[in-house]
């Protein structure tokens, strides 16, 4: 890149800064920008197209095309050369536009006269905002320098758009982050809630994209990078004994922080007239668009590391997002790209709602959200770029809709909805003490899932008959070091005391897959969900499991005790686990501890293999509980964390229900008590179908007991069984349509 172009683009940015500094209204600013770019680039045409809505681009300003077409000419993403730039987020540079692939003639603009076309995406941190175009009559290929200069300009336009610089009289743009927006996503935990946004990762806003003094900016960048390097080195020194994955990430940070080419590119941007923070953000935007396009997991992870590092650098440069920054609102609705179960537990119950732009319904973070009864939406595409700290938000966790910065009519309709839900809750309270008996006289036992101390009051308020699944790992996940045996004894004793004689089924530590303890080195596995997890860890490294068994026996203090092992895939694993229990009992007896009055040792059926275990297994095990979340992912070979494949398969699929029916039959032969404790147990329609297949004990999150019981008391299981049998006979894939027809009639 020649020094000459560098000066040229600095001149261009200088003129741009002057244009922006005036107190013109939005449209006048845009007009000025197009005029001065056309002049600087010596092209006949310069136009700015901005998104009008998610799918449509609008010509917002032009120098050279027909003025009348401004705010009239629109195109869909992907349509014409401009639409293609917007869709793919890449530059299109052609000397012969009318014959280029995808060209669309727009007569109202008079653009047929122009041969060459250069379209540059206007984007900010991966969010596409519009397209900057220059066109000229002579057929020229724009040089790499010209493209680079316009990219810098496009970035500044993006920043100014973000800051609302083009909003105002006469401009077709409504202010970003000010208008109300409706966003859709998937429901991971139902419920309607109202609150104010709290960003998990604060968003840094660059308010000064231009800079007059490049030397000063280079210095600022250098100082910030030095501070960043020292910070990374410190983190590395502190985690030398830490886990391997974290070290790997930190090493990547160090590599980037010392990268000469990263630094050089940013210095070049500064030389062209950008401020230090704008230069960092330009690099970050580039990395984000590469991340969106890359298929390579490793590369994407490294680009995500660079993204994180850029955020740190921006925070150093701007001083934003530090502890002294925004204060969490009283009614926080958390917004994040993704979040792990431990981080979510850190926030705890103070959250009113959670909105993730990624995330998954089947993840353990979702399970934690359910345990805490916090409405959770996942896959809400643009939430992280649209929402700002403190924005008013309504989360409709029934319809999967987010109303960001809602207007008054939406707010009042939404509040009506919340009031109606409160009424339904009252209805559930009225049946709380009643048994769950179907119309044809079948009685169901409804239990609750728990894992945190805070869940236990629900035992009384929900009407649960006991705890069908106590996820002991949640208590391990919330800490930053391994709990001691004494602490476990105390906490299990508290659980049993709170249960006041109702049964609590303690599941031993279920870690691995997405449940990674902060203080244990995760195994580096290609497929963690199919890897070293749950009972496999428990049997191979029995130290923690033995400590847990001891703690459970001591906490029971002679009371009845129920223990369940997760993820048993074959008979032998159950036998080995059971022998650990027997050995622990022996040891405890010898140590003089009182043993539980009765002890039941069960297994979770979470892999199809166990359904086909020898009958002897069914006879030996004290009880079985179907972990439908895992079972379904293995039954359909569809990752429970991967929204794309997860939702292809319905729980009410005939094959899945037939498998459940087979397990029920085998348990009937052997007289083995059977329950179902996956999330589907808490979904009323799924729950009645499971009951129709013969399941008589369901364990679910406490908030589901009312709705499930209410429906259960209205259905006839004999009818439902026939509906399933008929659908099977007709060769249907899922019984859902037929069941829904039936439920609408009752
Ligand atoms: C299950 O897999 O259905 C289950 C209850 O266990 P978890 O969701 O904790 O894996
Ligand atoms: Mg499971």
């Amino acid at each position: 890149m020649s020094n000459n172009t560098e000066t040229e683009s600095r001149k261009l940015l200088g003129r741009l800064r002057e244009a922006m500094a005036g107190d013109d209204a939005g449209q006048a600013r845009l007009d000025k920008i197009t005029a001065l770019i056309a002049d600087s680039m010596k092209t006949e045409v310069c136009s700015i197209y901005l998104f009008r809505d998610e799918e449509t681009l609008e010509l917002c300003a032009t120098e050279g095309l027909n003025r009348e077409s401004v705010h009239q000419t629109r195109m869909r993403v992907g349509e014409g050369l401009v639409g293609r730039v917007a869709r793919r987020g890449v530059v299109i540079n052609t000397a012969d536009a009318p014959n280029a692939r995808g060209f669309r003639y727009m007569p109202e603009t008079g653009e047929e006269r122009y041969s060459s076309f250069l379209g540059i995406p206007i984007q900010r941190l991966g969010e596409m905002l519009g397209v900057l175009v220059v066109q000229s009559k002579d057929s020229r290929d724009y040089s790499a320098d010209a493209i680079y200069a316009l990219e810098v300009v496009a970035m500044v336009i993006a920043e100014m758009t973000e800051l609302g610089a083009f909003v105002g009289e006469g401009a077709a743009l409504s202010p970003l982050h000010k208008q109300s927006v409706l966003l859709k996503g998937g429901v991971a935990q139902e419920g309607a809630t109202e609150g104010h946004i709290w960003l998990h990762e604060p968003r840094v806003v660059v308010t000064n994209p231009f800079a007059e003094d490049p030397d000063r900016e280079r210095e600022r960048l250098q100082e910030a990078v030095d501070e960043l390097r020292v910070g990374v080195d410190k983190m590395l020194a502190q985690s030398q004994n830490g886990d391997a994955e974290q070290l790997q990430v930190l090493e990547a940070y160090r590599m980037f922080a010392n990268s000469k080419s990263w630094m050089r590119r940013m210095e070049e941007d500064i030389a062209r007239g950008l401020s230090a923070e704008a230069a960092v953000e330009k690099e970050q935007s580039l990395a984000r668009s590469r991340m969106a396009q890359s298929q390579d997991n490793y590369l994407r992870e490294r680009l995500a590391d660079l993204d994180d590092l850029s955020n740190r650098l921006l925070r150093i440069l701007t001083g934003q997002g530090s502890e002294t920054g925004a204060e969490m609102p009283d009614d926080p609705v958390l917004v994040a790209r993704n979040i792990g179960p431990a981080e979510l537990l850190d926030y705890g119950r103070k959250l009113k709602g959670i909105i993730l732009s990624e995330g998954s319904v089947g993840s353990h973070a979702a399970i934690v959200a359910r345990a805490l009864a916090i409405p959770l939406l996942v896959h809400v595409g643009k939430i992280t770029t649209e929402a700002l700290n403190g924005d008013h938000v309504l989360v409709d966790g029934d319809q999967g809709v987010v109303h960001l910065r809602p207007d008054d009519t939406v707010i009042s309709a939404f509040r009506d909805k919340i009031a109606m839900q409160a009424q339904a809750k009252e209805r559930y309270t009225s049946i709380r003490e009643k048994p769950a008996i179907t119309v044809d006289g079948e009685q169901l036992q409804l239990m609750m899932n728990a894992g945190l101390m805070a869940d236990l009051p629900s035992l009384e308020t929900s009407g649960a008959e006991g705890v069908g699944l106590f996820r002991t790992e949640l208590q391990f996940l919330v800490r930053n070091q391994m709990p001691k045996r004494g602490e476990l004894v105390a906490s299990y004793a508290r659980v049993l005391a709170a249960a006041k004689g109702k049964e609590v089924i303690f599941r031993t530590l279920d870690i691995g897959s997405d449940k990674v303890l902060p203080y244990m080195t995760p195994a580096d596995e290609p497929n963690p969900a199919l890897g070293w997890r749950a009972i496999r860890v428990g049997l191979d490294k029995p130290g923690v499991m033995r400590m847990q068994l001891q703690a459970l026996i001591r906490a029971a203090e002679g009371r009845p005790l129920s223990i369940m092992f997760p993820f048993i895939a074959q008979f032998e694993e159950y036998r080995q686990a059971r022998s650990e229990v027997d050995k622990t009992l022996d040891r405890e007896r010898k140590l003089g501890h009182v043993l539980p009055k009765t002890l039941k040792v069960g297994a979770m059926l979470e892999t199809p293999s166990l359904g086909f275990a020898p009958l002897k297994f069914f006879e030996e095990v004290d009880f079985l509980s179907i972990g439908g979340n895992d079972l379904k992912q293995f039954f359909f070979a569809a990752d429970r964390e991967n929204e794309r494949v997860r939702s292809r398969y319905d729980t009410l699929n005939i094959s899945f229900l037939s498998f459940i029916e087979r397990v029920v039959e085998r348990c009937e032969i052997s007289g083995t008590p059977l329950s179902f404790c996956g999330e589907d147990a808490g979904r009323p329609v799924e729950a009645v179908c499971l009951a129709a297949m013969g399941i008589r004990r369901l364990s679910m999150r406490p908030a589901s007991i009312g709705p499930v019981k209410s429906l259960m008391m209205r259905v006839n299981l004999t009818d439902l069984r026939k509906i399933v049998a008929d659908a099977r006979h007709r060769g249907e894939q899922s019984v859902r349509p037929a069941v829904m027809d039936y439920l609408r009639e009752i």
Side-chain angles (χ1 to χ4, degrees), residues 45-49 82 117-120 131-135 150:
V45 177
C46 172
S47 312
I48 293 176
Y49 298 80
V82 174
F117 172 102
L118 172 60
I120 310 269
V131 180
L132 171 66
V133 175
V134 291
Q135 290 169 282
L150 277 186

Side-chain angles (χ1 to χ4, degrees), residues 670-691:
S670 56
T672 315
L674 175 66
S675 66
F676 189 104
C677 67
E679 297 302 308
D680 286 317
R683 301 191 172 105
V685 177
E686 279 79 346
V688 295
C689 290
L690 291 170

Side-chain angles (χ1 to χ4, degrees), residues 579-596:
S579 96
E580 286 294 339
V581 177
D582 292 338
K583 278 191 255 173
T584 312
L585 280 172
D586 242 15
R587 213 171 306 123
E588 290 299 289
R589 186 186 301 111
K590 284 186 190 129
L591 289 170
H593 291 284
V594 39
L595 300 188

Side-chain angles (χ1 to χ4, degrees), residues 364 367 469 471 473 507 510 515 533-534 566-567 604 606 627-631 633-634 640 677:
H364 282 96
I367 286 168
L469 166 66
R471 290 183 164 101
E473 64 277 3
R507 172 174 79 181
D510 183 10
K515 285 185 273 195
R533 50 177 294 198
F567 216 68
M604 285 187 79
E606 304 190 87
N629 307 335
D630 274 312
L631 177 62
Q633 84 168 334
F634 299 119
R640 65 192 264 189
C677 67

Side-chain angles (χ1 to χ4, degrees), residues 190-209:
E190 297 84 358
T193 192
E194 178 173 359
H196 290 87
I197 297 286
W198 179 249
L199 297 173
H200 183 51
E201 288 165 340
R203 182 185 169 92
V204 177
V205 184
V206 175
T207 50
N208 58 336

